[in-house]
Amino acid sequence: MKINNETRMTKECRTPNDKMSPHSLSAASVLVIRHLSLVRHSLIRASAFLLLIFLPALQAADNISVLGSKPQWSVLEHYQETITRDDFDRLIQSVYCTHGFAPDLIQINEKTARLIKNRCAQEFFTLRFAANNAEHQPVPRLWRPTKSLPAARSGKPLSGLRVALDPGHLGGKWARMEERWFQFGNSQPVQEGDLALRVARLLGRRLRQLGANVSFIRNNNEPITAKRPDDFHELARKILIKNGVPQPRADVLDPNDPEKEQTIRWQSEILFYRYSEIRRRAALVNFKLHPDLVLCLHLNAEGWGDPNSPTLTEANHLHLLVNGSYLAEELEFDDERFEMIRRLLSRAYDEELPLADTIAAAMARETGLPPYEYPTTNSTTKVGSSGYLYARNLLATRIYRCPVVYCEPYVMNSEDAFARIQAGDYEGTRNVNGTERKSIFREYADSVVDGLVDYYSKARCSRDR
Ligand SMILES: [Zn+2]
């Protein structure tokens, strides 16, 4: 069955399928059903509607997303009087809450914003605005905005910049479980996690040559999390029961099993490789690496159907993502709402927008790819001026506490990208599909490097100027 790209991306990355934590089974259950409904079950879509209607009555005291933790609202005290009302309102309206939200969640008054910490308990956090831009308090953060970086060393436009590379997914023996694997005939299997790691290694080498301090969030095909799918059986069972599958099956029949998402195995696996893994990566970023920037490296795909007999397509495209564009139902989660506000107050977007737009322009120039257009505007908001950049609430872009640029070039199962992936990595150019091309891995890495150099050469002062 052909899965459209929106569905595939939804499955891959975004948070509506942030299913639930043991703390909160109710609101999250709406979302998992919503996710299932996107895939193919019209019957379940109807149940999602019912659950949504009854949501307020079902809400538990703490309303936390999958494997999330209770927000520490007191942290926001450090952001008092750091932002003007106008800036706060602009970021809410045009970046973070572009799909609206329940009006009681965030009330923007003249001098303060009233934020609901917990709706049931009617607990609020009051954020005081800065009177004007000249008098605001300094924004606390562990990453450095470009303007605070020391002057660049001569010929090293990225000197001193701390960049963490996050090759998406796991690859290796996990690729099939992640559903990031397909094989066409007897060709080499295509595994997104492995391709992203290859790009990351090439990119890391070049960034170091340009003076950057590079760390890898993942540098092999093993998970960061110590958990494994077996650790999530009980939670998976609870999720399914709460979502109207009273007696969930233990196992998936085969990769094309239409009801695989209603099995304990499928749910436990996704809790492992997506939720647990990305949350562990976030802990590494937030508590150990403290980078100025994270680059999430992915390759896109169109629905390929049966992974053992995949559909190749002519469509090939590029887009980049930064955090934003939260759905109204995502903002109902106490932790997601808190993380959104903390991110907004950290002013990561001020850095992400021009940087991601510049990288997007360089990648577009060098790959020649057209911009990806989402089939709906239900989950994304186009931002910037390159035409390639979207705001979207992905787990990684939300919880890595620094600017995050998320790259999605190439459709792996396009005829062009597939041939280039099969050609492997090489120096210089080769004739692939009738055109002299760099290896797809080097083209990816080089175009990101060029975008970074374009941005930082202009945005930071250089000692030799
Ligand atoms: Zn990916």
Side-chain angles (χ1 to χ4, degrees), residues 12 169 192 298:
E12 178 178 12
H169 314 283
E192 187 186 343
H298 290 251

Side-chain angles (χ1 to χ4, degrees), residues 9 12-13 168-169 180 192 297-300 406 408 412:
M9 281 291 296
E12 178 178 12
C13 309
H169 314 283
R180 290 292 164 278
E192 187 186 343
L297 305 168
H298 290 251
L299 290 91
N300 211 342
Y406 193 105
E408 284 276 13
M412 293 181 290

